[in-house]
Amino acid sequence: QVQLVESGGGLVQAGGSLRLSCAASGRTYVMGWFRQAPGKEREFVAAISRSGSSTYYIDSVKGRFTISRDNAKNTGYLQMNSLKPEDTAVYLCAATRWPGVVTTTDYTYWGQGTQVTVSS
């Protein structure tokens, strides 16, 4: 069992930047980021393959967010630039137990979430 712990959330003004980290207790394959605002459905944001060679983003964050990982540290990252109030949510990281593609929906491990609040 792999535990995931997110960090780096906080309060920023619109147009600002934030870098989220996801520390894993063991090996992960595909890593992804999701977000959930109060009263809203959980939304997929981005994913990255084990090697980092493949990434996948939803249209609303393309060009603004960058997903990356450092396997030597068992850590994934989500660099968020040009933040908008609509990005406000609890951000959760997730990971698969087995190799897969970045479009997978088969996430096994989940973090507890970190709050990102973007003010206008």
Side-chain angles (χ1 to χ4, degrees):
Q1 184 75 21
V2 173
Q3 293 183 339
L4 305 177
V5 179
E6 304 96 333
S7 61
L11 173 64
V12 297
Q13 292 187 358
S17 297
L18 209 56
R19 188 194 193 208
L20 305 183
S21 296
C22 176
S25 64
R27 184 183 183 94
T28 61
Y29 290 89
V30 179
M31 294 188 73
W33 288 91
F34 294 76
R35 63 189 181 187
Q36 187 166 30
K40 297 184 179 179
E41 186 178 353
R42 187 179 65 201
E43 176 186 34
F44 169 82
V45 177
I48 187 168
S49 62
R50 169 68 186 178
S51 68
S53 62
S54 297
T55 58
Y56 178 53
Y57 303 89
I58 55 172
D59 287 345
S60 63
V61 307
K62 286 180 180 176
R64 299 191 298 121
F65 291 10
T66 302
I67 189 169
S68 62
R69 67 191 298 162
D70 184 341
N71 290 337
K73 297 180 179 179
N74 286 150
T75 301
Y77 305 95
L78 185 67
Q79 177 67 46
M80 305 185 294
N81 298 328
S82 301
L83 282 162
K84 304 174 180 179
E86 308 95 273
D87 297 318
T88 295
V90 172
Y91 282 71
L92 306 100
C93 68
T96 67
R97 184 177 181 179
W98 306 107
V101 294
V102 292
T103 51
T104 187
T105 58
D106 191 29
Y107 290 96
T108 300
Y109 308 116
W110 293 84
Q112 83 290 346
T114 186
Q115 177 71 46
V116 171
T117 302
V118 184
S119 65
S120 60

